[in-house]
Amino acid sequence: MQNQSNNIPSGNVQNSISSNEALFLLNRDVSANQLQTYRSNNEPILMTSLSGMPIGDKVYSLTAGSRGPILLQDTCLLDELGQFNEEKTPERCSYAKGSGAFGFFQCTTDIGSTITRAHFLDTRNKQTPIAMRFSRFRSELGSSDTIRDVRGMAIKFYTDCGNFDLICNHLPVFFIRDPILYPSLVHSQKRNPVTNLFDYDAYWDFLTLRPETTHCLILLYSHRGIPNGYRYMNGYSVNTYKFISRDDEISYVRFHVKSNQGINSIDPTKALVLAGLDSDYATRDLYNTICINKELPSWTVCIQQMNEQEMKNSLFDPFDTTKIWPKTYYPLIALGTIILNRLPTNHFSEIEQLAFSPANLVPGIELSLDKMLQARVFAYSDAQRYRLGKNYAQLPVNRSLNPMANNCRNGYMCLNNQNGAPNYFPNSFHGATTSYRFKESIYSVEGNVARYECSNDNDEFSQAKTFYRQILSPDERINLARNLAKSLTLTQQFICKRALENFSNVDQDLVNDIQHFLNLQRPTTMEDSNIQTDLERKI
Ligand code: NDP
């Protein structure tokens, strides 16, 4: 808990509170004082109906006589109930629980101008407003922030050439590389449709049947699997993008968004306690940090870059989302800094309705042959249409800075008639036009239409081996084994055996250590197994 100096209520109300009360407020989280802060800065205003009619009474329903039935003409009651019934939109199928904030991206180099046409990257010190949403992959609204899970970090750059959405994870690789498996991956990590409980048979069954998940799994079960709040984690695009330079040169990039606060993770036992005591731990931390406005959270946006020749000659598939690009060959190039300095004024309108899609690109940044990225282009936009309606891009938080100019004038909540411009193209009436300057780059493809294995190097384990042997310290290796064993103990023996077979391709020491912890942890009686709470299972 922090002590916040800017949290002393001001104005009329402050004068009316006792010194004890003021002390109490001072010692609370700034987030806990949101209502008090409002009271200190505002006078009460008259309540109105949806249509603006001033309201005379909002405590008692309108009835015929004091015991009589409620009247349908009570528009005040109808407003209240009708609005309440529809105040939620469907939650996201994955990355459901999130929080976010706003700020800016500042270019710290001119290097961008030589490798991409993207305007927002072309000049040192140029600033671009951004929105950022943090989330947890298999979360539901209301679930705990301190569960071991992949975290999402999505950034919307409001550039002068449209919005660019960079949708990252906090680990540099993902479980799978073919999008056709994504719904199954999510189903296996969410609730069993019969029991409505998380199902560790399903979880480990799916993951162990697809050995390409091994690299992501050992990163997830390392200490980075439970970040100490959103400020202390990196973001990785995982997907590979294409940069197009002003001279039409193509290169391939992966984005790294590196925390300037450093990496900080939570010990699993503390995470377990926090999951019970403060399920909104990361949400609270982000809110308090930005509200206090002292050390604003910041990240450095970097890329790794490959030219076309390197892409063709690469020993691993650069579009494979289960692989990193080794930094030795593809060093990080810093492009700029992100600083978060503004909280949403309303979580629902600005964060829940903040709609990201990898389809939101700007000239100079294009999709690559990364199959996951290509599928996400459809999946995200489609999900936003379902969640928020067809005109979600017209919501203030999703609007681009440059005016939208297209053929769309209809559909639920259409707010923008585009000044009466024609809604068909081509036209003879000064409607929006296109420019050859913004055409996509050209590339050729060939081959037979078939269902191909994404990666052609047959190598699921060598990067996981490097991570285990060369990155993790001996203590971290033991912790990794302990964390894996704790989760594996909840699944059936045959699935556990398959997991150990996969991990034996990483390192036999890892298997031995997991086996050791499994022997210690596997419940021997039904009573033992009941002792483990559902929360413990998730950590
Ligand atoms: P490098 O030595 O250049 O990079 C190793 C990187 O490992 C570090 O810079 C750090 O990434 C990351 N790292 C350290 N501890 C952990 C951890 N507990 N969990 C996750 N990441 C961690 O080597 P390579 O680039 O050749 O990569 C070697 C292995 O490191 C890979 O197989 C991969 O598993 C892992 N790795 C690599 C990353 C990369 O972008 N190259 C990123 C993350 C993991 P960071 O600097 O991004 O914090």
Side-chain angles (χ1 to χ4, degrees):
M1 297 281 166
Q2 292 143 330
N3 207 346
Q4 302 91 28
S5 56
N6 73 336
N7 195 27
I8 308 167
S10 60
N12 296 341
V13 176
Q14 190 202 4
N15 296 337
S16 68
I17 63 175
S18 70
S19 54
N20 271 353
E21 282 171 313
L23 192 63
F24 172 75
L25 293 173
L26 263 175
N27 283 319
R28 289 206 306 184
D29 265 8
V30 69
S31 54
N33 286 340
Q34 188 273 322
L35 291 175
Q36 179 58 48
T37 308
Y38 177 83
R39 189 168 80 158
S40 303
N41 297 325
N42 295 276
E43 295 298 330
I45 55 164
L46 201 55
M47 182 174 278
T48 71
S49 70
L50 275 181
S51 55
M53 179 183 75
I55 303 285
D57 183 335
K58 210 162 191 177
V59 175
Y60 303 112
S61 305
L62 204 60
T63 53
S66 69
R67 310 292 302 251
I70 279 173
L71 299 179
L72 190 59
Q73 71 196 53
D74 187 351
T75 52
C76 190
L77 174 69
L78 300 186
D79 254 15
E80 194 74 5
L81 297 183
Q83 287 296 308
F84 176 71
N85 285 344
E86 297 188 27
E87 70 185 17
K88 298 284 176 230
T89 51
E91 72 174 44
R92 294 161 165 92
C93 293
S94 40
Y95 301 97
K97 186 181 179 190
S99 49
F102 300 85
F104 61 89
F105 165 79
Q106 178 155 354
C107 252
T108 46
T109 161
D110 300 324
I111 223 170
S113 64
T114 59
I115 53 181
T116 171
R117 285 180 206 156
H119 275 188
F120 76 108
L121 294 175
D122 67 4
T123 316
R124 191 188 300 258
N125 294 331
K126 188 183 233 179
Q127 283 193 359
T128 302
I130 59 131
M132 211 159 164
R133 179 178 184 267
F134 304 93
S135 54
R136 194 161 72 60
F137 169 56
R138 61 192 175 111
S139 65
E140 298 160 332
L141 287 176
S143 58
S144 171
D145 289 345
T146 58
I147 302 291
R148 183 179 302 283
D149 197 3
V150 175
R151 266 65 175 171
M153 178 199 278
I155 309 161
K156 193 182 281 294
F157 297 82
Y158 301 93
T159 87
D160 52 10
C161 243
N163 294 345
F164 171 54
D165 289 358
L166 179 62
I167 308 169
C168 300
N169 277 342
H170 96 291
L171 300 176
V173 293
F174 195 56
F175 297 104
I176 51 168
R177 55 182 167 235
D178 194 311
I180 204 165
L181 291 172
Y182 186 80
S184 286
L185 170 75
V186 176
H187 286 167
S188 72
Q189 302 210 3
K190 291 271 200 163
R191 290 174 189 271
N192 175 316
V194 177
T195 63
N196 197 31
L197 295 166
F198 294 103
D199 189 318
Y200 287 85
D201 278 353
Y203 178 90
W204 280 108
D205 187 35
F206 178 85
L207 292 174
T208 53
L209 283 169
R210 298 303 313 175
E212 71 266 31
T213 62
T214 309
H215 191 190
C216 190
L217 264 176
I218 67 161
L219 291 172
L220 179 60
Y221 281 81
S222 80
H223 55 281
R224 287 210 188 176
I226 318 178
N228 188 16
Y230 299 127
R231 290 183 285 150
Y232 297 105
M233 64 186 206
N234 294 339
Y236 302 89
S237 68
V238 181
N239 291 124
T240 301
Y241 286 83
K242 212 157 57 170
F243 267 12
I244 318 295
S245 78
R246 285 184 193 151
D247 304 325
D248 291 328
E249 255 178 60
I250 291 175
S251 63
Y252 296 87
V253 298
R254 281 207 179 168
F255 288 88
H256 293 234
V257 183
K258 299 198 60 133
S259 167
N260 295 336
Q261 291 70 236
I263 301 289
N264 193 339
S265 304
I266 310 183
D267 164 78
T269 314
K270 186 178 171 199
L272 178 66
V273 175
L274 281 172
L277 284 180
D278 186 4
S279 60
D280 300 321
Y281 178 80
T283 311
R284 190 183 316 284
D285 175 72
L286 186 72
Y287 188 99
N288 287 338
T289 308
I290 297 173
C291 202
I292 291 165
N293 197 12
K294 258 194 202 147
E295 286 170 32
L296 291 171
S298 71
W299 287 261
T300 302
V301 178
C302 308
I303 50 161
Q304 290 181 289
Q305 194 186 19
M306 250 188 215
N307 63 34
E308 280 211 281
Q309 210 48 47
E310 286 171 321
M311 186 273 285
K312 284 179 187 145
N313 298 339
S314 173
L315 293 177
F316 61 92
D317 182 349
F319 307 120
D320 179 349
T321 46
T322 67
K323 302 227 167 59
I324 57 107
W325 293 6
K327 291 211 197 87
T328 336
Y329 303 115
Y330 309 102
L332 294 185
I333 304 167
L335 298 179
T337 306
I338 279 175
I339 295 180
L340 292 182
N341 58 9
R342 178 173 83 74
L343 288 164
T345 48
N346 173 280
H347 173 81
F348 183 83
S349 65
E350 292 192 287
I351 302 299
E352 195 58 21
Q353 296 196 120
L354 183 56
F356 292 95
S357 171
N360 296 343
L361 296 162
V362 290
I365 305 180
E366 295 184 5
L367 305 175
S368 72
L369 298 175
D370 177 333
K371 293 183 194 181
M372 287 291 283
L373 181 59
Q374 290 172 343
R376 290 173 82 203
V377 164
F378 162 74
Y380 278 64
S381 303
D382 193 49
Q384 308 303 359
R385 276 189 287 268
Y386 166 66
R387 278 192 332 110
L388 305 169
K390 151 181 162 55
N391 286 310
Y392 70 89
Q394 295 185 22
L395 293 170
V397 77
N398 297 324
R399 258 182 233 155
S400 56
L401 292 180
N402 50 329
M404 180 189 280
N406 60 13
N407 295 334
C408 173
R409 304 288 185 281
N410 280 318
Y412 285 115
M413 302 293 169
C414 183
L415 303 168
N416 182 356
N417 195 40
Q418 301 183 24
N419 214 16
N423 66 345
Y424 61 94
F425 183 82
N427 62 73
S428 317
F429 299 97
H430 285 184
T433 55
T434 57
S435 163
Y436 183 78
R437 282 189 300 137
F438 299 113
K439 279 187 101 170
E440 298 90 349
S441 66
I442 296 168
Y443 62 98
S444 64
V445 288
E446 57 182 29
N448 297 326
V449 173
R451 295 183 186 277
Y452 293 97
E453 163 60 85
C454 276
S455 179
N456 47 13
D457 57 16
N458 256 338
D459 173 14
E460 311 297 9
F461 304 106
S462 68
Q463 291 198 349
K465 272 184 202 193
T466 312
F467 176 71
Y468 182 77
R469 271 288 150 210
Q470 291 173 25
I471 308 291
L472 291 185
S473 68
D475 279 354
E476 289 171 343
R477 278 181 229 149
I478 298 286
N479 286 336
L480 169 66
R482 185 187 287 112
N483 297 337
L484 283 167
K486 197 164 181 186
S487 185
L488 280 168
T489 195
L490 302 162
T491 190
Q492 294 188 55
Q493 297 273 6
F494 80 96
I495 299 174
C496 186
K497 192 162 164 261
R498 200 193 293 143
L500 293 179
E501 273 163 24
N502 282 340
F503 291 131
S504 72
N505 292 304
V506 177
D507 203 294
Q508 191 54 41
D509 281 357
L510 176 61
V511 175
N512 297 344
D513 289 342
I514 297 174
Q515 192 65 67
H516 165 77
F517 287 113
L518 277 176
N519 293 341
L520 291 180
Q521 288 183 19
R522 196 174 279 286
T524 48
T525 65
M526 287 301 282
E527 239 173 63
D528 282 352
S529 82
N530 288 339
I531 291 171
Q532 202 154 17
T533 64
D534 191 47
L535 201 56
E536 272 182 290
R537 291 157 207 255
K538 291 179 211 159
I539 299 287

